[in-house]
Amino acid sequence: MPFKERLAAVITTLFVWSLAGALFGGLFIGLYEVLQVLDFGPWQAVVIAALAAAMTTAAFYSAMPVALMGAMAGVVASIGYLIIGGPRLELGIIALVAAGLGVLGGAFVAWTSQAGSRPLAETLTGLLAGLGAGFILVVVLTLYSRPVGAFVMAAGVVALVGSLFQLNEHWIVKGVHGWLPDTLAAPLVAALVAAVVGASIWMVAGTTAAALDPAAKDAVERVLAEMPSGFLGGLLGGAVTGLLLEVLGFRLEEHESA
């Protein structure tokens, strides 16, 4: 490959992996902090947050049209819920409403395009990568007794998930591809993304909700305060991981043409 094309490929890889890592890192830290506020144990919070963030990021990375439809559905459903419900904010309800609208949006994408079952296969690959990375991170945090900041935690989990996803994507997608009817794959992925977006909007809106008591507001503000560190840590972790995988021969252009 000519130097100019190789340089363009490296820059594109750096850009894509940095953005994906930033999205993952911010989402992971936000979910991790929220789960701790909801009295989940530390290891449970790590695994669940890694799993959910990896699934969502995999959808954006590998099935952008479906993920964007899910994100739009989550925004519309959340804003509509906030307008109708006023200051009364219920996480479970807002996530369910967003997921329901995401199903409709995903069904529309499946009806108007040849999305196939690949979005679901890629998302399930993200799920397995997130599950594996979560358990690895739990072991590391258990063995390392000192506190680990959000920046380092996000960078580490992004590197783990990115590596596991890239190394196992081909055989998992090949095995899962076609497992469910095409008409069900896109709606399920869009519903997942919509629910996560809806929960994120609930978290942001919660800081100004009059219905929340001072203790709850303090907890939500603490979550938001940690998210920039997660965003930056994920950005760095994604950039470094993407470049290392590019050097090892895992090309982004090969992923896009698969």
Side-chain angles (χ1 to χ4, degrees):
M1 180 181 293
F3 174 77
K4 185 177 180 180
E5 294 183 11
R6 182 75 266 152
L7 179 62
V10 170
I11 293 175
T12 302
T13 297
L14 182 64
F15 183 74
V16 171
W17 276 85
S18 296
L19 290 181
L23 170 66
F24 182 97
L27 185 58
F28 168 76
I29 291 299
L31 290 172
Y32 173 74
E33 294 291 342
V34 167
L35 290 170
Q36 287 199 312
V37 170
L38 297 176
D39 294 328
F40 281 78
W43 72 267
Q44 293 173 316
V46 168
V47 173
I48 295 173
L51 188 152
M55 290 175 66
T56 306
T57 307
F60 275 99
Y61 178 67
S62 305
M64 184 65 74
V66 177
L68 287 176
M69 180 61 75
M72 288 190 292
V75 171
V76 171
S78 301
I79 293 176
Y81 175 82
L82 292 174
I83 292 174
I84 297 173
R88 188 176 180 82
L89 302 172
E90 297 290 342
L91 176 58
I93 296 177
I94 200 171
L96 285 175
V97 171
L101 194 58
V103 169
L104 296 178
F108 178 77
V109 172
W111 179 59
T112 57
S113 66
Q114 298 296 324
S117 59
R118 187 178 179 88
L120 180 61
E122 297 281 4
T123 304
L124 289 176
T125 306
L127 182 152
L128 294 176
L131 191 63
F135 279 115
I136 292 173
L137 187 59
V138 167
V139 172
V140 172
L141 293 176
T142 302
L143 297 176
Y144 188 75
S145 58
R146 296 181 181 179
V148 177
F151 180 89
V152 175
M153 189 182 296
V157 77
V158 165
L160 285 171
V161 169
S163 300
L164 291 173
F165 180 90
Q166 200 70 45
L167 293 172
N168 297 292
E169 177 190 17
H170 178 73
W171 68 269
I172 293 178
V173 170
K174 185 178 179 180
V176 176
H177 193 55
W179 178 53
L180 283 179
D182 295 352
T183 53
L184 291 180
L188 286 175
V189 174
L192 167 69
V193 174
V196 172
V197 170
S200 301
I201 292 177
W202 169 85
M203 186 168 58
V204 174
T207 58
T208 57
L212 293 181
D213 56 58
K217 284 187 178 181
D218 289 342
V220 176
E221 288 173 357
R222 189 184 73 198
V223 172
L224 296 177
E226 292 292 336
M227 290 185 68
S229 296
F231 181 90
L232 293 175
L235 189 148
L236 177 62
V240 173
T241 304
L243 287 177
L244 287 176
L245 290 172
E246 184 79 13
V247 170
L248 293 174
F250 295 92
R251 313 291 189 197
L252 179 64
E253 59 269 23
E254 293 176 1
H255 170 274
E256 293 176 340
S257 62

